[in-house]
Amino acid sequence: MIMTKKERALFAVEKLKEKYPEAICSLQYQKPYELLIATRLSAQCTDARVNVVTKELFRKFPTLESFADADIADIEEVVKPCGLYKTKAKSIKEMCTQLIRDFDSTLPDSIEQLTSLSGIGRKTANLIMGDVFHKPAVVVDTHCIRITNRLGLVKGEDPYKLELALKKILPPEESSDFCHRLVLFGREVCKARKPLCEDCPLQECCAFRQKSHQSHAASV
């Protein structure tokens, strides 16, 4: 059966909802700004390691003010296991200062304002919009790029272009949770090096799977 991109998207949304009923962020946090910091630390670092580091980080610096007033070397020391620690520590101190100075110590609720914060790009801003403010959002990470390309929902690797393309075909109220489910699905089934196509619930809507079958049939 030939599906349109929107039909593929709706099929994937429903199947992944069945497979992963709880669509939650794997980064651990209690205060909204802590998710902002944790996501900044997650660049080129596993969520598991970030969760270990932030447990100590948020204990040592329990408020925005404590981050803003901290000696940057003290922040660097704690976040060092996450890699790129000098850049990340600088961003954390600066963004906390900005939140206090420019936003009355409250996370802003727009992509434009969030991306004005030090070290914050659209991926992190969309995560905040979805998880903190429960607004439609598309978080384009490596799992999202890989899987949506394989499914045939999008083509290319430019995060901003993919974000806009996915917004056109995903139900707005499902988009944020769908992206969380893609992370779980990418780790478990649709892996980067060797996707487990035989165990995949999305076979019916997957362009990659269909193309592989056609290639195999042609070679027999």
Side-chain angles (χ1 to χ4, degrees), residues 129-186:
M129 293 298 289
D131 278 43
V132 174
F133 297 110
H134 308 294
K135 294 183 178 182
V138 176
V139 181
V140 181
D141 62 3
T142 55
H143 294 291
C144 179
I145 293 171
R146 179 177 74 255
I147 297 168
T148 55
N149 267 273
R150 283 178 176 170
L151 291 175
L153 301 181
V154 295
K155 188 174 182 180
E157 297 190 356
D158 181 283
Y160 182 59
K161 289 181 180 178
L162 265 58
E163 178 190 331
L164 296 182
L166 288 170
K167 281 182 176 178
K168 292 179 181 178
I169 58 175
L170 288 171
E173 70 279 5
E174 299 282 0
S175 58
S176 179
D177 286 349
F178 178 68
C179 292
H180 282 316
R181 293 185 174 108
L182 286 179
V183 174
L184 300 173
F185 182 62

Short mmCIF file of all heavy atoms in Angstrom, two decimals, residues 129-186:
data_model
loop_
_atom_site.label_atom_id
_atom_site.label_comp_id
_atom_site.label_asym_id
_atom_site.label_seq_id
_atom_site.Cartn_x
_atom_site.Cartn_y
_atom_site.Cartn_z
N MET A 129 9.97 23.68 25.18
CA MET A 129 8.60 24.03 24.79
C MET A 129 7.66 22.85 24.98
O MET A 129 6.52 23.00 25.45
CB MET A 129 8.57 24.49 23.32
CG MET A 129 9.29 25.79 23.06
SD MET A 129 8.56 27.20 23.93
CE MET A 129 7.04 27.39 23.04
N GLY A 130 8.13 21.64 24.64
CA GLY A 130 7.28 20.46 24.76
C GLY A 130 7.15 19.96 26.18
O GLY A 130 6.04 19.70 26.66
N ASP A 131 8.29 19.82 26.87
CA ASP A 131 8.29 19.17 28.18
C ASP A 131 7.89 20.10 29.33
O ASP A 131 7.25 19.66 30.28
CB ASP A 131 9.67 18.58 28.48
CG ASP A 131 9.85 17.23 27.83
OD1 ASP A 131 9.44 17.08 26.66
OD2 ASP A 131 10.40 16.31 28.46
N VAL A 132 8.28 21.35 29.24
CA VAL A 132 7.98 22.29 30.33
C VAL A 132 6.65 23.00 30.09
O VAL A 132 5.81 23.10 30.99
CB VAL A 132 9.11 23.33 30.49
CG1 VAL A 132 8.73 24.38 31.52
CG2 VAL A 132 10.41 22.64 30.91
N PHE A 133 6.44 23.47 28.86
CA PHE A 133 5.25 24.27 28.57
C PHE A 133 4.14 23.48 27.86
O PHE A 133 3.06 24.01 27.63
CB PHE A 133 5.64 25.49 27.74
CG PHE A 133 6.57 26.43 28.47
CD1 PHE A 133 7.90 26.56 28.07
CD2 PHE A 133 6.14 27.13 29.57
CE1 PHE A 133 8.77 27.40 28.75
CE2 PHE A 133 7.01 27.98 30.27
CZ PHE A 133 8.33 28.11 29.85
N HIS A 134 4.42 22.22 27.52
CA HIS A 134 3.43 21.33 26.90
C HIS A 134 2.81 21.95 25.65
O HIS A 134 1.60 21.88 25.43
CB HIS A 134 2.35 20.96 27.92
CG HIS A 134 2.92 20.42 29.21
ND1 HIS A 134 3.61 19.22 29.28
CD2 HIS A 134 2.96 20.95 30.47
CE1 HIS A 134 4.02 19.02 30.51
NE2 HIS A 134 3.65 20.05 31.26
N LYS A 135 3.68 22.55 24.85
CA LYS A 135 3.25 23.12 23.57
C LYS A 135 3.79 22.25 22.43
O LYS A 135 4.75 21.49 22.62
CB LYS A 135 3.78 24.56 23.43
CG LYS A 135 3.17 25.53 24.44
CD LYS A 135 3.67 26.94 24.18
CE LYS A 135 3.03 27.95 25.15
NZ LYS A 135 3.48 29.35 24.89
N PRO A 136 3.18 22.32 21.25
CA PRO A 136 3.68 21.53 20.12
C PRO A 136 5.16 21.85 19.86
O PRO A 136 5.55 23.02 19.85
CB PRO A 136 2.81 22.01 18.95
CG PRO A 136 1.53 22.47 19.59
CD PRO A 136 1.96 23.10 20.90
N ALA A 137 5.95 20.81 19.67
CA ALA A 137 7.38 21.00 19.48
C ALA A 137 7.96 19.80 18.76
O ALA A 137 7.50 18.67 18.94
CB ALA A 137 8.08 21.20 20.82
N VAL A 138 8.98 20.04 17.95
CA VAL A 138 9.68 18.96 17.25
C VAL A 138 11.16 19.04 17.61
O VAL A 138 11.84 20.00 17.25
CB VAL A 138 9.51 19.06 15.72
CG1 VAL A 138 10.34 17.98 15.02
CG2 VAL A 138 8.03 18.92 15.35
N VAL A 139 11.63 18.04 18.35
CA VAL A 139 13.03 18.00 18.79
C VAL A 139 13.82 17.17 17.79
O VAL A 139 13.69 15.94 17.75
CB VAL A 139 13.15 17.39 20.20
CG1 VAL A 139 14.60 17.38 20.65
CG2 VAL A 139 12.29 18.16 21.20
N VAL A 140 14.62 17.83 16.99
CA VAL A 140 15.37 17.14 15.93
C VAL A 140 16.76 16.78 16.44
O VAL A 140 17.69 17.59 16.39
CB VAL A 140 15.46 18.01 14.66
CG1 VAL A 140 16.21 17.25 13.56
CG2 VAL A 140 14.06 18.39 14.18
N ASP A 141 16.88 15.55 16.95
CA ASP A 141 18.19 15.04 17.37
C ASP A 141 18.65 13.98 16.38
O ASP A 141 18.03 13.79 15.33
CB ASP A 141 18.13 14.48 18.80
CG ASP A 141 17.19 13.29 18.92
OD1 ASP A 141 16.62 12.85 17.89
OD2 ASP A 141 17.01 12.80 20.04
N THR A 142 19.74 13.27 16.68
CA THR A 142 20.28 12.30 15.73
C THR A 142 19.30 11.15 15.47
O THR A 142 19.21 10.66 14.35
CB THR A 142 21.62 11.72 16.23
OG1 THR A 142 21.43 11.16 17.55
CG2 THR A 142 22.67 12.80 16.29
N HIS A 143 18.57 10.73 16.51
CA HIS A 143 17.59 9.66 16.32
C HIS A 143 16.46 10.12 15.39
O HIS A 143 16.04 9.39 14.49
CB HIS A 143 16.99 9.23 17.66
CG HIS A 143 17.97 8.58 18.58
ND1 HIS A 143 18.51 7.34 18.35
CD2 HIS A 143 18.52 9.01 19.75
CE1 HIS A 143 19.34 7.01 19.33
NE2 HIS A 143 19.36 8.02 20.19
N CYS A 144 15.98 11.32 15.62
CA CYS A 144 14.91 11.88 14.79
C CYS A 144 15.34 11.98 13.33
O CYS A 144 14.61 11.58 12.42
CB CYS A 144 14.51 13.25 15.33
SG CYS A 144 13.19 14.05 14.38
N ILE A 145 16.54 12.50 13.10
CA ILE A 145 17.05 12.65 11.74
C ILE A 145 17.13 11.29 11.05
O ILE A 145 16.65 11.11 9.92
CB ILE A 145 18.42 13.34 11.74
CG1 ILE A 145 18.29 14.80 12.21
CG2 ILE A 145 19.06 13.30 10.34
CD1 ILE A 145 19.61 15.49 12.46
N ARG A 146 17.75 10.34 11.71
CA ARG A 146 17.96 9.02 11.11
C ARG A 146 16.65 8.31 10.82
O ARG A 146 16.43 7.83 9.70
CB ARG A 146 18.81 8.16 12.05
CG ARG A 146 19.07 6.75 11.54
CD ARG A 146 19.97 5.96 12.47
NE ARG A 146 19.31 5.53 13.71
CZ ARG A 146 19.51 6.08 14.91
NH1 ARG A 146 20.31 7.11 15.05
NH2 ARG A 146 18.89 5.60 15.98
N ILE A 147 15.76 8.26 11.80
CA ILE A 147 14.55 7.46 11.67
C ILE A 147 13.54 8.10 10.72
O ILE A 147 12.92 7.41 9.90
CB ILE A 147 13.92 7.22 13.05
CG1 ILE A 147 14.89 6.41 13.93
CG2 ILE A 147 12.59 6.48 12.92
CD1 ILE A 147 14.51 6.34 15.40
N THR A 148 13.36 9.39 10.79
CA THR A 148 12.38 10.03 9.90
C THR A 148 12.85 9.98 8.45
O THR A 148 12.02 9.91 7.53
CB THR A 148 12.09 11.48 10.32
OG1 THR A 148 13.32 12.23 10.40
CG2 THR A 148 11.38 11.53 11.66
N ASN A 149 14.17 9.98 8.23
CA ASN A 149 14.68 9.79 6.87
C ASN A 149 14.41 8.36 6.40
O ASN A 149 13.98 8.14 5.26
CB ASN A 149 16.18 10.08 6.81
CG ASN A 149 16.49 11.52 6.43
OD1 ASN A 149 16.59 11.86 5.26
ND2 ASN A 149 16.63 12.38 7.43
N ARG A 150 14.66 7.39 7.27
CA ARG A 150 14.42 5.99 6.89
C ARG A 150 12.95 5.72 6.60
O ARG A 150 12.61 4.98 5.68
CB ARG A 150 14.91 5.06 8.01
CG ARG A 150 16.43 4.89 8.04
CD ARG A 150 16.86 3.99 9.19
NE ARG A 150 18.30 3.75 9.18
CZ ARG A 150 18.97 3.16 10.17
NH1 ARG A 150 18.33 2.75 11.26
NH2 ARG A 150 20.27 2.98 10.08
N LEU A 151 12.10 6.33 7.39
CA LEU A 151 10.66 6.14 7.19
C LEU A 151 10.17 6.80 5.90
O LEU A 151 9.11 6.46 5.38
CB LEU A 151 9.87 6.70 8.37
CG LEU A 151 10.00 5.96 9.70
CD1 LEU A 151 9.27 6.70 10.81
CD2 LEU A 151 9.48 4.53 9.58
N GLY A 152 10.94 7.75 5.40
CA GLY A 152 10.53 8.48 4.21
C GLY A 152 9.66 9.69 4.52
O GLY A 152 8.99 10.24 3.63
N LEU A 153 9.71 10.14 5.77
CA LEU A 153 8.93 11.32 6.16
C LEU A 153 9.62 12.59 5.71
O LEU A 153 8.96 13.60 5.41
CB LEU A 153 8.74 11.34 7.68
CG LEU A 153 8.03 10.15 8.32
CD1 LEU A 153 7.90 10.36 9.83
CD2 LEU A 153 6.66 9.93 7.70
N VAL A 154 10.94 12.57 5.70
CA VAL A 154 11.73 13.74 5.33
C VAL A 154 12.93 13.26 4.52
O VAL A 154 13.21 12.07 4.44
CB VAL A 154 12.24 14.52 6.57
CG1 VAL A 154 11.08 15.11 7.36
CG2 VAL A 154 13.07 13.60 7.46
N LYS A 155 13.66 14.22 3.97
CA LYS A 155 14.87 13.90 3.24
C LYS A 155 15.92 14.96 3.54
O LYS A 155 15.66 16.15 3.41
CB LYS A 155 14.60 13.85 1.73
CG LYS A 155 15.76 13.34 0.91
CD LYS A 155 15.37 13.19 -0.56
CE LYS A 155 16.52 12.61 -1.38
NZ LYS A 155 16.14 12.46 -2.81
N GLY A 156 17.08 14.51 4.01
CA GLY A 156 18.14 15.45 4.34
C GLY A 156 18.51 15.41 5.81
O GLY A 156 17.90 14.67 6.59
N GLU A 157 19.49 16.23 6.18
CA GLU A 157 19.98 16.21 7.56
C GLU A 157 20.04 17.59 8.20
O GLU A 157 20.56 17.73 9.30
CB GLU A 157 21.37 15.55 7.60
CG GLU A 157 21.34 14.08 7.18
CD GLU A 157 22.65 13.37 7.45
OE1 GLU A 157 23.61 14.03 7.89
OE2 GLU A 157 22.72 12.15 7.22
N ASP A 158 19.53 18.60 7.53
CA ASP A 158 19.52 19.93 8.11
C ASP A 158 18.43 20.01 9.19
O ASP A 158 17.24 19.90 8.87
CB ASP A 158 19.25 20.98 7.02
CG ASP A 158 19.26 22.39 7.57
OD1 ASP A 158 18.26 22.79 8.21
OD2 ASP A 158 20.27 23.08 7.39
N PRO A 159 18.81 20.16 10.46
CA PRO A 159 17.83 20.10 11.55
C PRO A 159 16.67 21.09 11.41
O PRO A 159 15.52 20.72 11.68
CB PRO A 159 18.67 20.41 12.81
CG PRO A 159 20.05 19.99 12.44
CD PRO A 159 20.18 20.33 10.98
N TYR A 160 16.97 22.31 11.00
CA TYR A 160 15.91 23.31 10.90
C TYR A 160 14.92 22.96 9.79
O TYR A 160 13.70 23.04 9.98
CB TYR A 160 16.50 24.69 10.66
CG TYR A 160 15.46 25.79 10.58
CD1 TYR A 160 14.60 26.03 11.65
CD2 TYR A 160 15.34 26.58 9.45
CE1 TYR A 160 13.64 27.03 11.59
CE2 TYR A 160 14.38 27.58 9.38
CZ TYR A 160 13.53 27.80 10.45
OH TYR A 160 12.58 28.79 10.39
N LYS A 161 15.44 22.53 8.63
CA LYS A 161 14.55 22.16 7.53
C LYS A 161 13.70 20.94 7.90
O LYS A 161 12.52 20.87 7.57
CB LYS A 161 15.39 21.86 6.28
CG LYS A 161 16.01 23.09 5.64
CD LYS A 161 16.80 22.73 4.39
CE LYS A 161 17.42 23.97 3.76
NZ LYS A 161 18.24 23.63 2.57
N LEU A 162 14.32 20.00 8.62
CA LEU A 162 13.57 18.81 9.05
C LEU A 162 12.49 19.17 10.07
O LEU A 162 11.38 18.62 10.05
CB LEU A 162 14.52 17.76 9.63
CG LEU A 162 15.00 16.68 8.65
CD1 LEU A 162 15.69 17.31 7.45
CD2 LEU A 162 15.93 15.70 9.33
N GLU A 163 12.81 20.09 10.96
CA GLU A 163 11.83 20.55 11.95
C GLU A 163 10.60 21.12 11.26
O GLU A 163 9.46 20.77 11.59
CB GLU A 163 12.45 21.61 12.86
CG GLU A 163 11.51 22.17 13.90
CD GLU A 163 12.08 23.39 14.62
OE1 GLU A 163 13.30 23.50 14.76
OE2 GLU A 163 11.27 24.25 15.03
N LEU A 164 10.82 21.97 10.28
CA LEU A 164 9.71 22.59 9.55
C LEU A 164 8.92 21.54 8.77
O LEU A 164 7.68 21.59 8.73
CB LEU A 164 10.24 23.67 8.60
CG LEU A 164 10.93 24.87 9.25
CD1 LEU A 164 11.36 25.87 8.18
CD2 LEU A 164 10.03 25.54 10.28
N ALA A 165 9.63 20.60 8.14
CA ALA A 165 8.96 19.56 7.36
C ALA A 165 8.11 18.65 8.24
O ALA A 165 6.98 18.30 7.87
CB ALA A 165 10.00 18.74 6.60
N LEU A 166 8.62 18.29 9.40
CA LEU A 166 7.88 17.41 10.30
C LEU A 166 6.67 18.11 10.91
O LEU A 166 5.64 17.49 11.15
CB LEU A 166 8.81 16.88 11.40
CG LEU A 166 9.84 15.84 10.93
CD1 LEU A 166 10.87 15.57 12.01
CD2 LEU A 166 9.14 14.54 10.52
N LYS A 167 6.79 19.41 11.13
CA LYS A 167 5.65 20.15 11.68
C LYS A 167 4.46 20.13 10.72
O LYS A 167 3.31 20.23 11.15
CB LYS A 167 6.06 21.60 11.96
CG LYS A 167 6.84 21.77 13.26
CD LYS A 167 7.19 23.22 13.52
CE LYS A 167 7.89 23.38 14.86
NZ LYS A 167 8.30 24.78 15.13
N LYS A 168 4.73 19.97 9.43
CA LYS A 168 3.66 19.96 8.43
C LYS A 168 2.90 18.64 8.41
O LYS A 168 1.74 18.59 7.99
CB LYS A 168 4.24 20.23 7.04
CG LYS A 168 4.78 21.64 6.85
CD LYS A 168 5.35 21.81 5.45
CE LYS A 168 5.90 23.21 5.24
NZ LYS A 168 6.52 23.36 3.88
N ILE A 169 3.53 17.55 8.88
CA ILE A 169 2.89 16.24 8.75
C ILE A 169 2.57 15.56 10.08
O ILE A 169 1.81 14.58 10.12
CB ILE A 169 3.74 15.28 7.89
CG1 ILE A 169 5.13 15.09 8.48
CG2 ILE A 169 3.84 15.80 6.45
CD1 ILE A 169 5.98 14.07 7.73
N LEU A 170 3.11 16.06 11.18
CA LEU A 170 2.82 15.47 12.49
C LEU A 170 1.65 16.19 13.15
O LEU A 170 1.57 17.43 13.08
CB LEU A 170 4.04 15.57 13.41
CG LEU A 170 5.23 14.66 13.10
CD1 LEU A 170 6.43 15.05 13.97
CD2 LEU A 170 4.88 13.19 13.32
N PRO A 171 0.75 15.47 13.81
CA PRO A 171 -0.28 16.14 14.61
C PRO A 171 0.40 16.98 15.70
O PRO A 171 1.24 16.45 16.43
CB PRO A 171 -1.06 14.97 15.23
CG PRO A 171 -0.74 13.79 14.37
CD PRO A 171 0.65 14.00 13.88
N PRO A 172 0.10 18.26 15.79
CA PRO A 172 0.80 19.14 16.75
C PRO A 172 0.79 18.60 18.18
O PRO A 172 1.81 18.66 18.88
CB PRO A 172 0.02 20.45 16.66
CG PRO A 172 -0.57 20.43 15.29
CD PRO A 172 -0.90 19.00 15.01
N GLU A 173 -0.36 18.05 18.60
CA GLU A 173 -0.48 17.58 19.98
C GLU A 173 0.33 16.30 20.24
O GLU A 173 0.54 15.91 21.39
CB GLU A 173 -1.95 17.33 20.33
CG GLU A 173 -2.60 16.14 19.63
CD GLU A 173 -3.05 16.42 18.20
OE1 GLU A 173 -2.77 17.53 17.69
OE2 GLU A 173 -3.68 15.51 17.62
N GLU A 174 0.81 15.65 19.17
CA GLU A 174 1.58 14.41 19.31
C GLU A 174 3.07 14.61 19.07
O GLU A 174 3.88 13.72 19.37
CB GLU A 174 1.08 13.36 18.30
CG GLU A 174 -0.37 12.96 18.45
CD GLU A 174 -0.59 11.99 19.60
OE1 GLU A 174 0.39 11.63 20.28
OE2 GLU A 174 -1.75 11.60 19.82
N SER A 175 3.45 15.76 18.54
CA SER A 175 4.81 15.93 18.02
C SER A 175 5.91 15.79 19.08
O SER A 175 6.92 15.12 18.86
CB SER A 175 4.93 17.29 17.31
OG SER A 175 4.60 18.36 18.17
N SER A 176 5.71 16.39 20.23
CA SER A 176 6.74 16.34 21.28
C SER A 176 6.94 14.91 21.80
O SER A 176 8.07 14.41 21.89
CB SER A 176 6.37 17.27 22.43
OG SER A 176 7.34 17.22 23.46
N ASP A 177 5.84 14.24 22.12
CA ASP A 177 5.92 12.86 22.61
C ASP A 177 6.48 11.93 21.54
O ASP A 177 7.22 10.98 21.85
CB ASP A 177 4.54 12.35 23.05
CG ASP A 177 4.09 12.97 24.37
OD1 ASP A 177 4.93 13.61 25.03
OD2 ASP A 177 2.91 12.81 24.73
N PHE A 178 6.12 12.16 20.29
CA PHE A 178 6.64 11.35 19.18
C PHE A 178 8.17 11.41 19.15
O PHE A 178 8.83 10.39 18.96
CB PHE A 178 6.06 11.85 17.86
CG PHE A 178 6.55 11.11 16.64
CD1 PHE A 178 6.21 9.78 16.43
CD2 PHE A 178 7.35 11.75 15.71
CE1 PHE A 178 6.66 9.10 15.31
CE2 PHE A 178 7.80 11.07 14.57
CZ PHE A 178 7.45 9.74 14.37
N CYS A 179 8.73 12.59 19.36
CA CYS A 179 10.18 12.73 19.34
C CYS A 179 10.84 11.98 20.50
O CYS A 179 11.92 11.39 20.33
CB CYS A 179 10.57 14.21 19.37
SG CYS A 179 10.11 15.10 17.86
N HIS A 180 10.21 11.98 21.67
CA HIS A 180 10.72 11.18 22.79
C HIS A 180 10.69 9.69 22.44
O HIS A 180 11.62 8.95 22.75
CB HIS A 180 9.89 11.43 24.05
CG HIS A 180 10.22 12.71 24.75
ND1 HIS A 180 11.52 13.12 24.97
CD2 HIS A 180 9.43 13.67 25.30
CE1 HIS A 180 11.50 14.28 25.62
NE2 HIS A 180 10.25 14.63 25.82
N ARG A 181 9.62 9.27 21.80
CA ARG A 181 9.50 7.86 21.43
C ARG A 181 10.53 7.48 20.38
O ARG A 181 11.00 6.34 20.35
CB ARG A 181 8.07 7.57 20.95
CG ARG A 181 7.03 7.70 22.07
CD ARG A 181 5.63 7.30 21.60
NE ARG A 181 4.72 7.32 22.74
CZ ARG A 181 3.76 8.23 22.94
NH1 ARG A 181 3.58 9.20 22.05
NH2 ARG A 181 3.00 8.18 24.01
N LEU A 182 10.88 8.40 19.50
CA LEU A 182 11.90 8.11 18.50
C LEU A 182 13.25 7.81 19.16
O LEU A 182 14.00 6.97 18.67
CB LEU A 182 12.06 9.30 17.54
CG LEU A 182 10.95 9.52 16.51
CD1 LEU A 182 11.27 10.76 15.66
CD2 LEU A 182 10.75 8.30 15.62
N VAL A 183 13.54 8.48 20.25
CA VAL A 183 14.80 8.22 20.97
C VAL A 183 14.80 6.79 21.51
O VAL A 183 15.77 6.04 21.32
CB VAL A 183 14.99 9.22 22.13
CG1 VAL A 183 16.21 8.84 22.97
CG2 VAL A 183 15.13 10.64 21.60
N LEU A 184 13.71 6.39 22.15
CA LEU A 184 13.61 5.03 22.69
C LEU A 184 13.67 4.00 21.57
O LEU A 184 14.36 2.98 21.67
CB LEU A 184 12.30 4.88 23.47
CG LEU A 184 12.11 5.83 24.66
CD1 LEU A 184 10.70 5.70 25.22
CD2 LEU A 184 13.14 5.56 25.74
N PHE A 185 12.96 4.28 20.49
CA PHE A 185 12.91 3.39 19.33
C PHE A 185 14.28 3.29 18.64
O PHE A 185 14.69 2.20 18.22
CB PHE A 185 11.85 3.93 18.36
CG PHE A 185 11.64 3.09 17.13
CD1 PHE A 185 11.18 1.78 17.24
CD2 PHE A 185 11.88 3.61 15.88
CE1 PHE A 185 10.97 1.01 16.10
CE2 PHE A 185 11.67 2.85 14.75
CZ PHE A 185 11.21 1.54 14.85
N GLY A 186 14.98 4.40 18.58
CA GLY A 186 16.29 4.42 17.95
C GLY A 186 17.33 3.65 18.74
O GLY A 186 18.24 3.04 18.17
#
